[in-house]
């Protein structure tokens, strides 16, 4: 109930399952706490290709630092759980660099249930930080309410029309309507939902950029079985990563990918593993000894990786059309090979990759030969995502972006976008700190513009 479409949101062809928050605090309430600054190579690409000259490492550093201080983002000092330790151990055997992930937690109990909503409020999500702070300063929070459409007049938003919805998202015939009138509007519905709201509002889109270049970090997964107990549901969910394969040749070369170890809960395990009936029962019998790796692919940096496009269904709800191109699927094969090799290096007795036609492999040699022969096609290859970016991309001119470098819509001067839909490409890392840093910058500048008063950075 905390996720869009009951954690079953999918692309138009059903080839990619998307995990995206649908609750107070959004995806920050249910994410796995991984916190990375925007990689320098990503900022450099945005400066070169979208003329976003202000987005330098030095210029962004104070905004990231403020977010890190305020949200208690720092190294995870507790030893990694076995699920993450196996990633570190396998990487060490192969001579691949692996490092610790910073987390936005305070007083964490190390329970491992981050993706279900933190039961102790240790995760420093927007649910327990920014939203309460805003309420203390006089903000009003409308819950079980859908932002339906903007009322546009003469290049400005005149009002926002909202409808009451039930907890499952259903709208009843007598649903109460709300009309919000403000001086300036900030849209922060997240990639997919922010473009959809603008589409329902018939917002100006002279260059057909709205909803385009929507990115997912397409993810493929490998599951392994070990002799020892792994208990991938216990402990901090993601604490080790490797960028060894991320930036091999970021412009002209094949797609790069980041390696992480996702938590394993019964539903995630059941919907990711191969097999049905007795095969599924046999795999569940090995659940306590199962280990998972994921590879998130950095889309948006190559002509053959243009991302997807958000569209509206007949009921006005959004749908993402995201073609899995041969370029992306080549990266998926290479990532599956990498993860299988790493898991066998860590001591796996069996590896199963996320592909409908892949049997369990008992050795690295068997896996290497088998994965090379798999047909890398949508629906056969299991692809998921929890990082949705783009669709309202920013750029220095309206030929390349929906919004300006300050987040203001190019054609609607009292509307800003402050969320992950701003990104012109994917990040190449878990995006939450990138969102925090960039929106810190944009919101502070907007406050100065609207009030005429300088806003000081404060932890």
């Amino acid at each position: 109930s905390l996720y869009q479409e009951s954690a079953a949101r999918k692309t138009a062809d059903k080839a990619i399952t998307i995990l995206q928050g649908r609750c107070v605090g959004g995806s920050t309430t249910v994410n796995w706490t991984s916190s990375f600054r925007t990689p320098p190579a990503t900022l450099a690409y945005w400066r070169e290709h979208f003329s976003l000259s202000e987005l330098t490492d030095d210029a962004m550093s104070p905004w990231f630092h403020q977010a890190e201080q305020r949200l208690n983002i720092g190294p995870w000092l507790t030893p990694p759980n076995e699920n993450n330790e196996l990633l570190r151990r396998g990487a060490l055997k192969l001579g691949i660099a692996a490092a610790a992930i910073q987390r936005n937690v305070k007083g964490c109990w190390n329970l491992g249930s981050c993706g279900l909503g933190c039961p102790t409020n240790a995760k420093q999500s927007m649910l327990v930080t920014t939203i309460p702070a805003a309420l203390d300063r006089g903000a009003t929070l409308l819950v079980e309410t859908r932002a339906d459409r903007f009322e546009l007049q003469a290049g400005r938003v005149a009002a926002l029309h909202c409808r009451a919805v039930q907890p499952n998202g259903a709208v009843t015939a007598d649903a109460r309507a709300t009309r919000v009138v403000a001086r300036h509007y900030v849209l922060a519905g997240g990639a997919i939902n922010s473009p959809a709201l603008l589409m329902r509002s018939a917002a100006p889109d002279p260059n057909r950029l709205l909803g385009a270049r929507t990115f997912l970090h397409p993810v493929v997964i490998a599951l392994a079985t070990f002799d020892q107990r792994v208990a991938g549901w216990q402990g901090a969910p993601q604490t080790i990563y490797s960028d060894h394969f991320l930036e091999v040749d970021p412009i002209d070369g094949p797609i790069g990918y980041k390696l992480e170890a996702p938590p394993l809960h019964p539903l995630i395990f059941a919907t990711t593993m191969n097999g049905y009936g007795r095969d599924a029962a046999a795999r569940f019998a090995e659940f306590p000894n199962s280990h998972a790796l994921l590879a998130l692919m950095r889309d948006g940096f190559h002509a053959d990786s243009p991302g997807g496009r958000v569209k509206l269904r007949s009921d006005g709800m959004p749908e993402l059309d995201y073609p899995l191109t041969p370029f992306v699927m080549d990266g998926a094969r290479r990532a599956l090979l990498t993860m299988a090799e790493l898991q066998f290096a860590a001591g796996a007795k069996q590896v199963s990759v996320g592909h409908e036609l892949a049997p369990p492999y008992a050795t690295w040699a068997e896996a290497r030969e088998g994965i090379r022969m798999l047909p890398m096609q949508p629906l056969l290859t299991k692809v998921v995502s929890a990082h949705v970016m783009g669709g309202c991309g920013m750029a220095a001119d309206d030929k390349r972006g929906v919004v300006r470098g300050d987040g203001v819509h190019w054609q609607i001067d009292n509307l800003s976008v402050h969320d992950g839909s701003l990104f012109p490409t994917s990040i190449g890392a878990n995006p939450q700190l990138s969102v925090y840093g960039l929106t810190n910058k944009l919101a502070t500048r907007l406050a100065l513009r609207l009030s005429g008063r300088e806003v000081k950075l404060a932890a």
Side-chain angles (χ1 to χ4, degrees):
S1 63
L2 298 180
Y3 289 84
Q4 296 285 345
E5 302 178 39
S6 301
R9 170 167 273 183
K10 295 182 184 296
T11 51
D13 62 357
K14 308 297 187 285
I16 307 176
T17 300
I18 301 169
L19 294 178
Q20 195 173 20
R22 179 184 172 273
C23 51
V24 177
S27 292
T28 72
T29 300
V30 293
N31 71 16
W32 297 338
T33 74
S34 303
S35 302
F36 295 89
R37 292 189 176 192
T38 310
T42 299
L43 293 177
Y45 190 91
W46 294 355
R47 293 195 302 272
E48 179 181 354
H49 293 270
F50 300 92
S51 301
L52 296 167
S53 57
E54 286 193 9
L55 299 186
T56 66
D57 297 336
D58 289 343
M60 289 302 300
S61 183
W63 305 104
F64 289 134
H65 178 72
Q66 190 266 352
E68 289 160 351
Q69 292 292 305
R70 185 166 184 269
L71 302 176
N72 210 56
I73 294 173
W76 181 238
L77 302 179
T78 301
N81 63 6
E82 182 68 0
N83 199 44
N84 281 269
E85 174 61 22
L86 287 168
L87 167 55
R88 189 200 64 79
R89 200 179 302 157
L92 182 64
K93 287 278 186 70
L94 297 178
I96 295 171
I101 298 176
Q102 297 200 114
R103 308 182 64 226
N104 59 318
V105 295
K106 183 185 293 184
C108 176
W109 291 22
N110 200 29
L111 299 176
S113 52
C114 307
L116 311 177
C118 180
T120 65
N121 282 341
K123 185 197 303 184
Q124 299 301 286
S125 68
M126 300 300 95
L127 175 67
V128 300
T129 55
T130 295
I131 291 175
L135 294 173
D136 288 344
R137 302 301 285 276
T140 299
L141 175 64
L142 304 180
V143 297
E144 295 183 9
T145 303
R146 174 179 296 152
D148 203 30
R149 64 179 178 87
F150 288 117
E151 179 184 324
L152 302 177
Q153 294 178 6
R156 292 178 61 82
V157 178
L160 171 65
H161 293 264
C162 304
R163 287 189 293 174
V165 296
Q166 297 182 40
N168 66 357
V171 180
T172 59
D174 59 346
R176 188 182 72 254
T178 303
R179 187 170 182 265
V180 181
V181 178
R183 178 182 170 195
H184 196 96
Y185 297 79
V186 175
L187 176 55
I192 296 181
N193 291 333
S194 283
L197 175 56
L198 290 172
M199 290 176 185
R200 288 196 298 269
S201 309
D205 184 22
N207 298 299
R208 295 196 72 250
L209 297 174
L210 181 58
R213 293 187 63 79
T214 301
F215 302 103
L216 291 176
H217 284 156
V219 167
V220 290
I221 296 176
L223 294 167
T225 305
F226 285 79
D227 288 324
Q228 74 272 25
R229 180 181 171 89
V230 177
W233 62 88
Q234 294 179 341
Q238 283 183 168
T239 55
I240 302 293
Y241 76 100
S242 176
D243 278 351
H244 182 82
F245 302 94
L246 186 62
E247 292 183 24
V248 178
D249 187 348
I251 306 302
D252 298 320
I255 196 168
Y257 47 89
K258 186 186 200 80
L259 299 179
E260 295 174 342
L264 282 179
H265 294 279
L267 182 61
I268 292 178
F269 187 75
T271 55
T272 304
M273 69 181 185
N274 302 334
Y276 302 90
R278 291 181 179 177
D279 288 342
R283 290 177 190 274
F284 252 113
E286 298 282 359
F287 181 48
N289 293 40
S290 296
H291 166 260
L293 282 179
L294 64 77
L296 59 89
M297 291 179 274
R298 192 182 71 159
D299 48 348
F301 290 77
H302 191 281
D304 293 330
S305 177
R309 178 178 284 274
V310 176
K311 301 177 181 178
L312 294 182
R313 299 193 303 243
S314 59
D315 61 357
M317 292 295 100
E319 183 174 67
L320 176 62
D321 183 17
Y322 189 105
L324 286 168
T325 65
F327 178 80
V328 174
M329 298 309 280
D330 170 73
R333 188 191 304 277
R334 289 184 292 106
L336 293 177
L337 285 165
T338 293
M339 292 187 290
E341 182 179 16
L342 191 150
Q343 287 172 319
F344 279 117
K349 65 178 184 180
Q350 180 177 283
V351 172
S352 299
V353 298
H355 193 289
E356 294 291 352
L357 303 182
Y361 302 115
T363 66
W364 163 231
E366 183 183 340
R368 180 175 54 203
E369 183 64 25
I371 295 170
R372 285 175 177 170
M373 298 299 293
L374 291 174
M376 301 302 292
Q377 299 173 8
L379 299 174
L380 288 179
T381 308
K382 296 192 175 185
V383 183
V384 299
S385 178
H387 303 162
V388 193
M389 300 152 282
C392 295
M394 56 183 177
D397 58 74
D398 66 354
K399 302 293 189 297
R400 291 178 288 174
V402 174
V403 303
R404 308 182 322 209
D406 62 1
V408 177
H409 193 284
W410 273 108
Q411 287 81 32
I412 307 171
D413 61 13
N414 69 332
L415 173 65
S416 296
V417 179
H418 289 186
D419 61 19
S421 69
L422 288 167
F423 300 152
T425 66
S426 76
I427 295 295
N430 305 60
Q432 76 160 334
L433 182 51
S434 292
V435 176
Y436 296 154
L438 183 58
T439 56
N440 269 352
K441 176 179 183 289
L442 300 183
T444 303
R445 300 281 177 84
L446 179 60
L448 173 61
R449 172 186 158 191
L450 295 177
S451 70
R453 297 190 304 273
E454 192 71 42
V455 180
K456 294 182 179 180
L457 287 177

